[in-house]
Amino acid sequence: MDYVQLTLNDWMEMKEQLKRDLNGVAESFVRIGYILRKIEEQQLYQKDGYETIADFAKTEYGLSPSTVSRFMAINAKYSIDGYSERLRPEFAGIGSSKLAEMLTLPDGDLEMIRPETTRETIRELKQFNAQEPGGSGDFQELIKSFFRDNPGKLKNLYASEAFATGDVEEMVERINPGGNLSYRKGIYFLMMYGPSEGLKIKKFGQPKPDDMSWADFFFLTREIFGEELPEEEPQIPGQMAIPDDYPETAPIAPAQNPETRIKPKCEPHHENKTKRQQEAGKTQESQPENQDIRTEEDTVFAGKIQNAESEVAPAQENPPEMPETRINTRCEGDKGQQDIAEAMNPPEVQAEQYTARKDYLDTLTVYGAAEYLFKYLKPEILNSQTALEYWLMKEVDVKGREEDEE
């Protein structure tokens, strides 16, 4: 390395330039790192009586040792030829904080980063590289997963005139209007850019990402989903759609399970039958199990007729076999025939039943919960923990609707 003899004025000018760069635009960090490296390598800090570059930078400019190291590492990684005052053109416009975040990325991944790329995306890419993901598949499976996780983008694409005419630029605007989008699934990390740049697909363990043009992307999309999306089948209001490949034996939500619809509020009718007959002054021979179970007590209002005789419906010659467990919610003080009709023919759902939304979500399958959250959970609710807690505690009916949504 060639050492340049500096005059006192040169040395003072170098220090002033460093101070100006620290207070200047973000792109000057490369020059800052370059000057710090020169000061360290030529031990120029000793001119002012300092023992290390860290002592010099701390006293003169208030820089911590870690900040000094970061500036110097950024210069070595991102400057032209690895040792200059100039930033490599491909990193122009990327702020110093992002470049610092990228320091531990493999060199092959640097080409995936753009000025619009967020720090969160860079961190997610680092996490992707650090831990081996599960799954397998090819690019077609990746594209299929992307649109399944973003169904609105697929519908928007197919609804556009650009998809029918093959206008690639307009189609890109339909699914990637911001010009910078990332998607991670299994062993793949996908980065989407503008119409002219296309896409980059990083496979886990691969040193460099693969390139894909938008034309190829949309060609594969047509291959996967066809020329037209199938029309959605009409749904019963409040009913959630179920995919074709969903198991036929999906669990039944407790609120819809017929075995849990009726819960008697008092003791069963047959346990008090003899007692009521004695009070009425009548005795009755036990009826066969398969006999019609209607009695006069089931056709009048309790409390209004106290001494009526019981009439048993005539037995049929070949009566149908009755279920072992009979439904009878008859209680003293009930509303007579109306109550029995409701007990024998319970409504499918009780409109007046409400429960907290959190409890309703617990009754759904995984797919049903995902469908419900996608439909009803608005992005602004996620911005506030208090709003999210209130939303989960909100009373909903057995279809998950709030009272004012019915």
Side-chain angles (χ1 to χ4, degrees):
M1 181 180 296
D2 296 330
Y3 287 87
V4 179
Q5 185 66 36
L6 295 177
T7 66
L8 180 59
N9 287 337
D10 291 335
W11 169 235
M12 296 300 296
E13 176 60 27
M14 181 181 291
K15 292 171 60 179
E16 288 300 315
Q17 181 64 48
L18 179 56
K19 182 180 295 185
R20 287 194 297 271
D21 287 338
L22 283 170
N23 296 327
V25 296
E27 286 76 6
S28 64
F29 57 84
V30 170
R31 177 174 173 80
I32 295 171
Y34 175 70
I35 295 176
L36 289 171
R37 290 177 69 187
K38 287 181 63 176
I39 294 174
E40 181 185 44
E41 291 167 358
Q42 299 182 25
Q43 298 182 346
L44 299 176
Y45 50 81
Q46 294 180 354
K47 289 180 175 291
D48 286 356
Y50 297 103
E51 295 183 358
T52 64
I53 182 66
D55 293 338
F56 165 76
K58 178 66 174 177
T59 303
E60 296 286 336
Y61 305 105
L63 300 178
S64 67
S66 61
T67 301
V68 173
S69 298
R70 187 160 54 249
F71 274 125
M72 295 167 66
I74 286 174
N75 177 267
K77 188 158 187 147
Y78 305 117
S79 66
I80 295 176
D81 298 328
Y83 192 79
S84 69
E85 301 181 13
R86 297 172 57 194
L87 179 68
R88 285 159 57 182
E90 59 266 35
F91 299 115
I94 300 178
S96 58
S97 61
K98 294 180 185 178
L99 290 179
E101 195 73 53
M102 295 160 52
L103 283 173
T104 55
L105 280 178
D107 290 343
D109 288 356
L110 297 180
E111 61 186 75
M112 301 178 70
I113 310 302
R114 299 290 185 275
E116 299 82 12
T117 305
T118 64
R119 291 182 65 185
E120 289 71 22
T121 299
I122 298 172
R123 291 172 180 171
E124 189 174 4
L125 180 57
K126 290 164 64 176
Q127 294 173 358
F128 172 80
N129 290 329
Q131 184 176 4
E132 183 173 359
S136 59
D138 54 15
F139 289 168
Q140 281 196 338
E141 287 297 324
L142 177 64
I143 295 173
K144 185 185 298 185
S145 296
F146 171 78
F147 281 117
R148 280 182 173 175
D149 290 342
N150 299 274
K153 291 184 180 295
L154 184 63
K155 293 179 181 179
N156 193 24
L157 175 64
Y158 270 79
S160 67
E161 183 179 352
F163 190 74
T165 61
D167 187 339
V168 173
E169 185 171 349
E170 180 60 29
M171 285 191 286
V172 174
E173 183 67 22
R174 287 282 178 169
I175 68 171
N176 187 25
N180 190 79
L181 183 65
S182 66
Y183 176 73
R184 174 182 174 182
K185 191 73 171 184
I187 60 173
Y188 290 105
F189 197 101
L190 173 66
M191 295 287 287
M192 296 179 169
Y193 310 108
S196 61
E197 293 185 89
L199 309 90
K200 288 189 180 294
I201 305 173
K202 171 70 182 291
K203 186 176 181 179
F204 181 80
Q206 191 173 292
K208 293 188 63 175
D210 292 309
D211 294 323
M212 177 181 285
S213 68
W214 279 111
D216 289 340
F217 178 87
F218 292 123
F219 173 80
L220 291 176
T221 300
R222 290 180 187 272
E223 288 287 309
I224 295 169
F225 298 101
E227 292 294 329
E228 295 182 0
L229 286 179
E231 294 184 2
E232 295 183 357
E233 296 182 1
Q235 299 181 32
I236 300 174
Q239 184 180 22
M240 297 182 180
I242 300 179
D244 295 337
D245 58 352
Y246 198 73
E248 295 182 0
T249 57
I252 301 175
Q256 300 172 350
N257 193 328
E259 296 181 2
T260 62
R261 288 176 187 156
I262 298 177
K263 184 177 181 181
K265 297 182 180 180
C266 62
E267 55 188 354
H269 169 66
H270 67 274
E271 293 182 4
N272 288 325
K273 184 174 182 180
T274 302
K275 181 178 179 181
R276 290 198 303 271
Q277 288 174 342
Q278 293 174 351
E279 292 175 353
K282 293 290 182 179
T283 58
Q284 184 80 26
E285 292 183 359
S286 300
Q287 302 298 322
E289 288 188 5
N290 58 5
Q291 190 173 7
D292 191 346
I293 63 172
R294 291 176 298 169
T295 67
E296 187 175 358
E297 289 180 331
D298 295 329
T299 60
V300 297
F301 293 99
K304 291 187 177 182
I305 300 179
Q306 299 180 354
N307 298 316
E309 294 184 355
S310 301
E311 293 182 5
V312 180
Q316 302 177 11
E317 293 183 3
N318 296 302
E321 184 178 355
M322 299 299 290
E324 294 183 5
T325 302
R326 299 175 181 175
I327 301 175
N328 194 333
T329 57
R330 175 73 172 166
C331 304
E332 293 188 4
D334 64 5
K335 296 182 180 179
Q337 188 174 10
Q338 179 180 357
D339 286 355
I340 291 179
E342 292 177 356
M344 298 302 295
N345 300 283
E348 190 66 24
V349 292
Q350 296 293 334
E352 70 275 11
Q353 293 180 352
Y354 281 84
T355 185
R357 184 179 273 113
K358 170 63 169 61
D359 295 333
Y360 169 75
L361 288 170
D362 289 341
T363 69
L364 302 179
T365 63
V366 173
Y367 178 84
E371 180 97 9
Y372 182 85
L373 292 173
F374 179 80
K375 182 177 180 181
Y376 290 103
L377 184 55
K378 299 179 181 179
E380 56 266 25
I381 296 177
L382 294 174
N383 294 331
S384 169
Q385 180 177 344
T386 301
L388 181 59
E389 291 176 355
Y390 176 81
W391 186 80
L392 289 171
M393 292 188 296
K394 188 75 173 180
E395 292 279 321
V396 297
D397 63 15
V398 294
K399 294 182 179 180
R401 299 173 303 184
E402 297 181 11
E403 186 173 4
D404 55 0
E405 294 175 343
E406 296 182 359

